[in-house]
Amino acid sequence: EVQLVESGGGLVKPGGSLRLSCAASGFTFSSYSMNWVRQAPGKGLEWVSSISSSSSYIYYADSVKGRFTISRDNAKNSLYLQMNSLRAEDTAVYYCAKAEGWIDPWGQGTLVTVSS
Amino acid sequence: DIQMTQSPSTLSASVGDRVTITCRASQSISSWLAWYQQKPGKAPKLLIYKASSLESGVPSRFSGSGSGTEFTLTISSLQPDDFATYYCQQYNSYPITFGQGTRLEIK
């Protein structure tokens, strides 16, 4: 069974940093691109970033470019999102998800709250 | 960036109804479109990929159609479990973009 488990969310002050992690199991992690997608409270889905299987190709939404960094460790079956210079508008549930163009499956999400 | 526009934003329907949700892309995305169902407090669930391919385990009352810029998600006979929010997503090019969502509520 494919499982994606996010961790690392929490409360952080504006301008602060946070690192999200996603532990993957049940599939050959090193063969797939991975995504981070977020959802602000009561709002729709927003794609954040994608990374190819070997980390050769990385993409970011304009809203996070220059502040967030996606990375992966295929030996540890893990995906990461380093978030710096956080803003109130970054408050959201962050989902880790396997990518084949379409996004499936999704983790359960981790809540990031940016507030003073 | 490719903009995805769903209609309607909210849809009221009854159990047994046939419902259709439309998703329009601001430029052609061929068939690179997926549909998701999301219930409150839960992660989205993939229903349809490549515009019309049904994900394994998804009931056959769900179907997708379209290509280019206009797409539809149809539920042939609404069941109580289907009341949720539905999103379309294009994966033709980066940035990946989602529609704003369609909330399907009980009439």
Side-chain angles (χ1 to χ4, degrees):
Chain A
E1 179 197 2
V2 175
Q3 268 204 312
L4 297 167
V5 180
E6 302 94 337
S7 60
L11 175 63
V12 62
K13 289 182 169 52
S17 298
L18 214 52
R19 188 195 196 207
L20 305 184
S21 299
C22 172
S25 61
F27 67 104
T28 306
F29 181 75
S30 59
S31 295
Y32 291 91
S33 294
M34 297 293 294
N35 288 325
W36 288 100
V37 179
R38 69 185 181 183
Q39 187 169 35
K43 301 298 184 184
L45 301 168
E46 180 188 16
W47 169 79
V48 173
S49 183
S50 296
I51 185 168
S52 64
S53 57
S54 61
S55 305
S56 298
Y57 299 98
I58 288 175
Y59 304 92
Y60 296 101
D62 284 347
S63 57
V64 307
K65 203 173 293 183
R67 300 187 299 122
F68 289 12
T69 302
I70 191 172
S71 63
R72 64 190 295 162
D73 185 335
N74 287 343
K76 294 183 178 179
N77 288 346
S78 293
L79 176 71
Y80 306 101
L81 187 67
Q82 177 67 44
M83 303 186 296
N84 298 331
S85 303
L86 282 161
R87 306 167 179 165
E89 55 264 35
D90 295 318
T91 294
V93 173
Y94 285 74
Y95 293 102
C96 158
K98 176 171 158 280
E100 293 186 70
W102 62 88
I103 300 173
D104 178 68
W106 303 56
Q108 85 288 352
T110 187
L111 177 62
V112 172
T113 303
V114 184
S115 175
S116 55
Chain B
D1 298 2
I2 298 174
Q3 292 189 351
M4 306 301 293
T5 305
Q6 285 182 235
S7 60
S9 295
T10 306
L11 180 57
S12 297
S14 302
V15 172
D17 284 353
R18 177 184 180 91
V19 299
T20 297
I21 299 169
T22 298
C23 179
R24 289 187 174 87
S26 60
Q27 64 189 74
S28 178
I29 58 170
S30 185
S31 295
W32 305 123
L33 184 102
W35 288 97
Y36 303 88
Q37 177 193 67
Q38 187 179 34
K39 296 182 179 179
K42 300 293 187 182
K45 172 188 172 185
L46 177 69
L47 300 175
I48 302 283
Y49 60 97
K50 285 186 201 169
S52 60
S53 296
L54 190 68
E55 170 70 352
S56 176
V58 174
S60 59
R61 63 181 179 273
F62 291 91
S63 64
S65 66
S67 66
T69 62
E70 187 145 341
F71 303 85
T72 58
L73 173 70
T74 299
I75 309 173
S76 60
S77 178
L78 272 174
Q79 298 303 301
D81 191 50
D82 300 338
F83 292 94
T85 300
Y86 293 84
Y87 295 93
C88 62
Q89 173 233 335
Q90 69 81 19
Y91 51 96
N92 179 77
S93 62
Y94 287 99
I96 290 169
T97 46
F98 292 88
Q100 80 280 13
T102 294
R103 183 183 171 205
L104 179 53
E105 58 183 31
I106 301 173
K107 186 185 286 185

